[in-house]
Amino acid sequence: TGNAFTNAKVEVVTPQASGWAMGVKYASKSHTLTLDSQVHLTLTGPDAATIEAQSGVITNEPREIVLDHPRALRNEGAVSADRATFYLTHDNHVENVLAKGNVRADARVPAVGQGSHSRRKTAIGSPTEVHANAEEAEFLFVPDEDVLRTATLRGRVHIEQSGDQPMLANA
């Protein structure tokens, strides 16, 4: 049949990411790889991140990755949702991500400014924390670079910013 499965830990390696999952199923006719549980991926590149998810499905047609209860972690913060669909280009670069259900983003932005005693930029003020919640978010990436270009939040959007210039927004 060309189908395969295992309940064991399986490692995944691609040019853009590496990681593992517990248990996989491969359906050859549909070219579908199902990651049963404990998905853990480390993305490479200038904006490296770690993605953890409860489970996932990778399909060749359409070219996408669907993760249940994903959480993307970077030094600057984290993004989580009930479900995220990663739409890929023909060469497996992320084109955009659509996150749905309980989308939450938390970011830490270091303080920056211009110091008065130097020509160099020095940190002044306090770091800023941004917390955002929405029903849905769409993340668009720079073509072929896997670098975030824009993020659009939709549905009961709530954003809070702390620091020297606090902000509260609802839409």
Side-chain angles (χ1 to χ4, degrees):
T1 66
N3 296 338
F5 69 93
T6 182
N7 292 325
K9 181 177 179 179
V10 174
E11 295 196 20
V12 178
V13 178
T14 72
Q16 294 86 7
S18 63
W20 53 271
M22 291 301 292
V24 298
K25 295 178 188 80
Y26 179 72
S28 65
K29 287 185 181 178
S30 63
H31 300 284
T32 301
L33 181 67
T34 302
L35 309 171
D36 289 338
S37 67
Q38 300 179 36
V39 178
H40 183 92
L41 298 170
T42 301
L43 306 178
T44 59
D47 288 320
T50 299
I51 297 176
E52 299 170 343
Q54 185 176 17
S55 60
V57 175
I58 302 170
T59 58
N60 198 36
E61 192 56 46
R63 212 162 185 74
E64 64 186 33
I65 302 169
V66 179
L67 298 176
D68 290 318
H69 300 284
R71 181 172 166 90
L73 306 160
R74 293 184 49 203
N75 288 338
E76 299 84 13
V79 178
S80 63
D82 289 345
R83 174 169 278 198
T85 304
F86 293 70
Y87 298 94
L88 307 175
T89 62
H90 67 283
D91 57 351
N92 293 325
H93 285 279
V94 177
E95 189 170 59
N96 69 311
V97 177
L98 183 59
K100 291 188 174 187
N102 298 308
V103 178
R104 180 170 175 86
D106 299 300
R108 290 174 300 284
V109 181
V112 293
Q114 195 69 26
S116 59
H117 301 296
S118 169
R119 290 185 174 195
R120 297 179 325 182
K121 283 191 173 183
T122 57
I124 59 172
S126 60
T128 298
E129 288 192 12
V130 179
H131 305 284
N133 298 314
E135 292 175 359
E136 181 178 292
E138 183 174 24
F139 304 96
L140 301 177
F141 291 80
V142 176
D144 299 323
E145 293 185 29
D146 299 323
V147 175
L148 182 63
R149 183 179 67 199
T150 60
T152 304
L153 304 176
R154 294 183 194 96
R156 298 180 191 198
V157 177
H158 176 82
I159 302 172
E160 291 183 36
Q161 176 178 300
S162 66
D164 292 337
Q165 296 180 348
M167 174 193 70
L168 176 64
N170 291 297

